[in-house]
Amino acid sequence: PPGFVESSCRSRIFLMKLNKLFLQGKFFQLEIYDPYAGPILLDEKLASRCGYVLSEDVWGNPVFRASVLGCHVANEADELFSLTVNIKVSSFSSMRAAVTYTYPMYCSYPFWASREIMCEENYMEVSVKTDVPAVSNDYTVAWMSALPETQNVAYQQWQLMFVSPSGRKRITVSDAVKLGYSFNNTLSRVYLRAPYHSNESDVSMLSGVNMNMVTSTSMYRQRWLLLLIDTTVSCPVDGISFTDTTLTWTVPSVIPTLVVQESTFLSKNIVMGVDDQVIVNPEEKNYLLEHNETHIRITIPIGAEGGRLKSSVSGGVYGVIYSIDLFLEHTWTDAGWQTTKYTVIKSITTPFMPQIPTVMNNTVPEERLFNVAFGHFLPDVSLVAIAIGNVPFTPREAQYHGLKVYETLFSNRTKGFILEISFDDPYVLKEYVNRNETKYTLLVNYTLSMGPEMTLYYHAAEVECVIADIELPEAVGYCDEENLYLTLPTFGLHQYWDLYLGNTLLNRHVALTNGYLAATNSTHLILQIPLFAVGVTYEEVSFQKIKARFDVVLRKVRTMETLQMFSIGCSFNSSEFIICHPDGTVMISAQMKTVPAIDMSKTKLRDSSCKPREYNEAHAFFKFHVTTCGTSARFEGDHIIYENEISYEKETLPAQSIPTITRDPDYRLTVLCYYQAKETLVLGAFISDSVTSPPFGSGTMVPRSNTAAYRRVRRALNVVSRVSKDESFMEFYEPSMAILKRSVEPVFLEVELKDESPSIELYLENCWVTRSLDFNSTPRWNITVDG
């Protein structure tokens, strides 16, 4: 088919290249057509013996090369040459149902040098004109040593003598063929073709390059004619070196085994070529061709024109391999030979060179769009799939999902893959950070197809972008006659932050338990907090007014970091109230509704020494501790109830006095404070005042007559705790007194069970110190733990 086969001639070589596109998914074989024996299948042994090479160029196209002195080449007067090749193509590895394409090739090569040496990939070949050199006394001892052997050469028959470190070996041409050699003569030439590393060859180091050498003499005797021809051949087998940026190929300038008299050696011409094309001006392509008395050196930048960079994967690592097909022609003269043309063909491939792909974050945060470039790759790399998080997409599926995935070209002839994805995409991770910022994290897993082998390569990348796109809520507070109100936006609530009452999460259950009313609409949360609800802080209390404050804290959901505190404070006019503080302090504003009115200054608690702190005609204000003023305690369910009463009794006269009639009534007002039984009242060294600690007790005032109704309750224990001034436990601080202590000073605490029942014992379980009156606050310093 058209475009399938391309052929040419270079020097004395047939060149045939097959287009790999026609061979995709198929198998092929080459047959060499022999005019006498018909088609012969080309294999490795036949190729090296007969002067054929089947390989690939750097682009993967099959390449066939043949010497014009090949076994099956038709030769016309050593000037015109022809060779016919059959190309068999099949869809099956067994080559059944193969289609055969016959392809003849023709080359002309009329200008031969006296000696021509070809160093191919799989064979070495030397051809010599039969009229030179004549045998003379100027030849070396090695040459002269062959003369006695000629006496045994059969008439009209060529024989070969090999000289190697193991000695001399004389064999016939037919025996040489069995050893992989090929020897023949044409109209004017004799040639020998030898495989590399045969038993008759020798490897020696020459100027740092290993040379494979076959030293041989071709002998022919016919009656009085004796013909001895030097058919020695030597070719380099290495000489390749690499750096990160270049490859260098070195060949010796002078090869002593090929030059009889080195003093007469004269280099005439040195030519380099790439991909079977002669390079006239190597410097134009950044190639470097240099030579001196000992070396010819070609240096090629990795990635240079004429070669091929190929992507590869090794051990899960991405890298590149560079390949280039070079040849070198060196023409020289010396006294022994008129002209020698020395040609070396070399296909060079670098070792695997690891590359580190780069993930470039080109995101502009204000656009709220990730823009990520992944490169740099060669053109033979393609994107197979891309996974966002753990969700894989083909490029087409990614486009359907709303992602933009496309290729981009870079200035150094490489390419990359661009991914664009919105911050708001559900597969982008979002994390609330700092005060008002969101960290968007894009987790990407790329799956790429590398090189012509289409090896899969995987690369994971993580890209982050932090942007200040969150607005912290602002709260608004107000009050009415009996309640405090706090209003704040619901955006971000429970997603980014939560409200806390002290250290307690303020959820609906807590709000309901504390007596708050919580209502929400589409944008805001409204909290209604009754004046005497749990959590209200009383900054100033008198019988005329109450200055109250309610605080909630805004904290991050994940880290509990405090962001803001919202506080609403108001002053209230209240005629009657009871406030039970967590430290056991009770404040009461009592209104005595009696007829006739009584003198409020004469009211008292159970302990008659406990008088009102303030009073007027209708009100009395008391402040006392639950362990004083005759306060009793009892348990009911999960609560401990402290009880006292405000009373006013008529004055009575001594027995001997004259009876007096009075209109003063008897009056008693029962005062109750309820505390959770599992909570602990502690007397300690308080360093801060009470304005920051919410009360957790609740109280009621029950007016009653002198005769109290009988109620059956659990017996309350009389437990008293006191702080001693020193270790003698002789003097104690007053219960309501603030005690200032340095952190290194000891605190002497006494806890006493004042109960005479022999069945009751006192165990001190936990004792600790805090900075505030809220015993659940932090930091907290333990004095005793679990007794």
Side-chain angles (χ1 to χ4, degrees):
F4 178 38
V5 182
E6 177 185 325
S7 65
S8 62
C9 301
R10 188 190 63 77
S11 186
R12 56 189 186 91
I13 297 177
F14 290 99
L15 292 172
M16 183 176 73
K17 183 178 293 186
L18 306 181
N19 192 328
K20 66 178 182 181
L21 297 179
F22 288 88
L23 297 172
Q24 284 185 347
K26 297 181 180 179
F27 303 89
F28 79 97
Q29 291 178 344
L30 294 186
E31 293 178 337
I32 309 301
Y33 184 77
D34 187 322
Y36 305 102
I40 302 174
L41 181 64
L42 178 64
D43 57 22
E44 291 184 4
K45 289 185 177 180
L46 178 70
S48 62
R49 183 173 62 82
C50 287
Y52 307 137
V53 174
L54 179 60
S55 63
E56 289 185 351
D57 65 8
V58 296
W59 303 105
N61 298 299
V63 174
F64 172 74
R65 292 194 300 270
S67 169
V68 295
L69 299 177
C71 299
H72 310 94
V73 176
N75 182 340
E76 296 183 22
D78 286 340
E79 292 186 3
L80 298 176
F81 307 90
S82 61
L83 177 66
T84 300
V85 178
N86 289 338
I87 307 166
K88 300 182 69 176
V89 181
S90 173
S91 298
F92 308 96
S93 59
S94 63
M95 297 305 295
R96 63 185 175 89
V99 178
T100 301
Y101 303 96
T102 300
Y103 195 82
M105 294 182 288
Y106 305 92
C107 284
S108 172
Y109 188 63
F111 305 107
W112 289 85
S114 300
R115 178 175 61 174
E116 297 205 3
I117 296 175
M118 172 70 69
C119 299
E120 254 287 9
E121 291 183 23
N122 59 342
Y123 68 86
M124 303 181 289
E125 182 183 271
V126 55
S127 72
V128 181
K129 280 187 178 182
T130 54
D131 57 346
V132 291
V135 177
S136 69
N137 292 330
D138 295 333
Y139 281 69
T140 62
V141 175
W143 247 104
M144 298 302 292
S145 66
L147 291 176
E149 300 287 337
T150 64
Q151 303 301 321
N152 299 319
V153 176
Y155 285 107
Q156 297 182 350
Q157 181 176 344
W158 285 96
Q159 292 190 13
L160 301 174
M161 187 181 69
F162 296 99
V163 179
S164 66
S166 60
R168 297 189 185 93
K169 179 190 292 186
R170 181 170 57 85
I171 59 176
T172 63
V173 171
S174 58
D175 289 337
V177 171
K178 296 177 183 178
L179 297 175
Y181 295 93
S182 180
F183 176 87
N184 209 337
N185 64 306
T186 66
L187 182 64
S188 59
R189 305 188 72 81
V190 172
Y191 65 86
L192 174 69
R193 191 176 302 112
Y196 286 94
H197 307 296
S198 65
N199 291 334
E200 295 72 33
S201 67
D202 182 31
V203 177
S204 60
M205 180 76 69
L206 178 60
S207 301
V209 179
N210 284 311
M211 304 292 292
N212 190 251
M213 176 177 62
V214 175
T215 303
S216 65
T217 302
S218 302
M219 300 178 291
Y220 180 80
R221 182 181 180 188
Q222 185 177 12
R223 294 182 64 83
W224 305 109
L225 173 65
L226 176 62
L227 184 63
L228 301 178
I229 300 177
D230 183 3
T231 48
T232 297
V233 62
S234 181
C235 290
V237 293
D238 53 22
I240 309 297
S241 61
F242 304 97
T243 69
D244 291 339
T245 56
T246 62
L247 63 87
T248 301
W249 180 29
T250 302
V251 176
S253 295
V254 181
I255 304 170
T257 56
L258 301 180
V259 179
V260 176
Q261 299 180 21
E262 290 189 39
S263 61
T264 63
F265 174 86
L266 179 62
S267 178
K268 304 293 289 186
N269 189 35
I270 299 175
V271 175
M272 70 165 287
V274 174
D275 194 23
D276 301 315
Q277 300 295 320
V278 173
I279 305 299
V280 179
N281 298 307
E283 63 279 357
E284 292 182 359
K285 296 183 179 295
N286 294 322
Y287 305 151
L288 179 61
L289 174 61
E290 52 187 350
H291 60 90
N292 54 30
E293 295 179 354
T294 59
H295 293 90
I296 301 171
R297 183 173 287 115
I298 298 175
T299 302
I300 307 291
I302 291 177
E305 179 184 351
R308 180 189 184 184
L309 271 174
K310 183 177 70 172
S311 299
S312 182
V313 178
S314 177
V317 177
Y318 165 68
V320 297
I321 296 173
Y322 179 69
S323 301
I324 191 168
D325 294 331
L326 298 176
F327 72 84
L328 176 70
E329 280 188 358
H330 184 196
T331 304
W332 73 75
T333 61
D334 63 82
W337 300 88
Q338 295 175 9
T339 305
T340 297
K341 180 185 284 188
Y342 186 81
T343 303
V344 186
I345 297 176
K346 197 74 172 178
S347 294
I348 302 175
T349 298
T350 67
F352 177 80
M353 296 177 287
Q355 306 289 306
I356 301 177
T358 304
V359 176
M360 294 153 280
N361 185 4
N362 302 320
T363 302
V364 179
E366 291 73 20
E367 297 178 356
R368 297 188 60 80
L369 188 73
F370 277 112
N371 184 298
V372 181
F374 183 42
H376 299 73
F377 297 105
L378 299 177
D380 62 357
V381 175
S382 59
L383 181 65
V384 176
I386 186 169
I388 310 298
N390 294 320
V391 183
F393 299 97
T394 65
R396 178 170 294 185
E397 290 170 343
Q399 300 284 0
Y400 180 79
H401 179 71
L403 312 181
K404 291 185 67 176
V405 181
Y406 55 93
E407 292 186 3
T408 185
L409 296 177
F410 299 113
S411 58
N412 59 355
R413 295 185 299 172
T414 61
K415 71 177 182 179
F417 303 96
I418 305 294
L419 168 65
E420 292 184 2
I421 180 172
S422 170
F423 286 179
D424 301 314
D425 190 280
Y427 299 121
V428 173
L429 302 181
K430 304 165 186 68
E431 181 184 0
Y432 172 51
V433 296
N434 303 324
R435 287 183 59 82
N436 62 336
E437 295 176 330
T438 304
K439 180 171 73 174
Y440 297 93
T441 303
L442 177 64
L443 301 178
V444 189
N445 281 279
Y446 296 91
T447 302
L448 303 176
S449 173
M450 296 288 181
E453 295 83 8
M454 303 180 70
T455 306
L456 294 182
Y457 169 71
Y458 306 94
H459 187 90
E462 180 176 333
V463 182
E464 294 180 352
C465 185
V466 178
I467 182 172
D469 58 355
I470 294 179
E471 184 177 350
L472 289 178
E474 293 293 335
V476 176
Y478 56 94
C479 301
D480 60 16
E481 294 180 356
E482 298 179 346
N483 302 282
L484 300 91
Y485 295 87
L486 195 66
T487 303
L488 71 158
T490 54
F491 170 78
L493 198 60
H494 310 309
Q495 179 184 2
Y496 300 133
W497 43 69
D498 281 319
L499 290 176
Y500 278 79
L501 186 63
N503 290 323
T504 303
L505 176 65
L506 183 54
N507 52 29
R508 288 191 176 274
H509 174 72
V510 172
L512 183 64
T513 302
N514 290 353
Y516 309 157
L517 179 62
T520 57
N521 57 26
S522 60
T523 59
H524 285 78
L525 166 69
I526 303 173
L527 275 178
Q528 175 185 306
I529 306 99
L531 172 61
F532 297 110
V534 175
V536 177
T537 299
Y538 305 99
E539 297 178 320
E540 182 182 337
V541 179
S542 68
F543 75 99
Q544 293 179 335
K545 70 173 184 178
I546 299 176
K547 187 176 181 182
R549 190 184 78 243
F550 181 75
D551 300 325
V552 290
V553 178
L554 190 72
R555 290 181 177 172
K556 287 185 180 180
V557 170
R558 294 182 59 186
T559 65
M560 298 283 290
E561 177 188 346
T562 298
L563 299 172
Q564 244 171 286
M565 176 178 283
F566 301 127
S567 181
I568 171 65
C570 296
S571 294
F572 296 85
N573 295 320
S574 181
S575 58
E576 273 189 308
F577 61 82
I578 176 171
I579 299 172
C580 304
H581 278 283
D583 65 345
T585 300
V586 181
M587 291 182 288
I588 306 167
S589 176
Q591 184 178 11
M592 302 302 187
K593 300 178 180 179
T594 62
V595 179
I598 62 175
D599 185 357
M600 300 304 290
S601 65
K602 295 180 180 180
T603 57
K604 61 181 179 61
L605 299 177
R606 284 178 178 169
D607 186 340
S608 59
S609 63
C610 296
K611 299 290 187 178
R613 297 284 184 97
E614 299 179 60
Y615 59 87
N616 59 17
E617 293 180 355
H619 291 81
F621 176 72
F622 292 87
K623 182 178 180 182
F624 62 96
H625 195 270
V626 293
T627 60
T628 63
C629 297
T631 306
S632 62
R634 69 178 186 272
F635 288 94
E636 282 191 7
D638 293 334
H639 289 80
I640 183 169
I641 303 173
Y642 292 93
E643 179 177 333
N644 209 318
E645 63 182 14
I646 303 171
S647 62
Y648 173 85
E649 295 184 1
K650 298 181 294 183
E651 292 183 356
T652 58
L653 298 176
Q656 65 274 19
S657 62
I658 301 173
T660 304
I661 299 174
T662 176
R663 297 181 62 221
D664 289 343
D666 284 345
Y667 186 86
R668 292 186 181 185
L669 182 68
T670 301
V671 178
L672 302 174
C673 273
Y674 296 80
Y675 290 90
Q676 289 287 336
K678 293 182 180 180
E679 293 177 338
T680 307
L681 292 181
V682 178
L683 293 178
F686 298 108
I687 301 174
S688 58
D689 57 32
S690 62
V691 297
T692 60
S693 57
F696 63 77
S698 60
T700 60
M701 294 183 290
V702 183
R704 62 180 181 176
S705 65
N706 279 333
T707 304
Y710 173 75
R711 295 182 66 192
R712 185 174 182 179
V713 298
R714 288 176 59 189
R715 182 179 178 185
L717 299 179
N718 189 4
V719 179
V720 177
S721 61
R722 298 184 294 177
V723 178
S724 174
K725 293 185 178 180
D726 54 35
E727 59 187 353
S728 67
F729 288 90
M730 298 299 292
E731 279 191 82
F732 295 89
Y733 291 103
E734 290 295 323
S736 60
M737 178 182 293
I739 306 169
L740 299 177
K741 291 282 188 179
R742 295 186 179 88
S743 58
V744 296
E745 290 187 78
V747 176
F748 304 99
L749 179 65
E750 177 186 86
V751 182
E752 181 182 1
L753 174 62
K754 292 190 174 182
D755 199 298
E756 297 180 356
S757 173
S759 62
I760 299 175
E761 294 182 359
L762 173 65
Y763 291 93
L764 180 61
E765 184 179 17
N766 295 308
C767 183
W768 67 91
V769 178
T770 61
R771 284 183 172 174
S772 71
L773 295 180
D774 181 0
F775 301 128
N776 292 317
S777 65
T778 56
R780 163 173 167 167
W781 295 271
N782 291 321
I783 297 175
T784 62
V785 178
D786 294 334

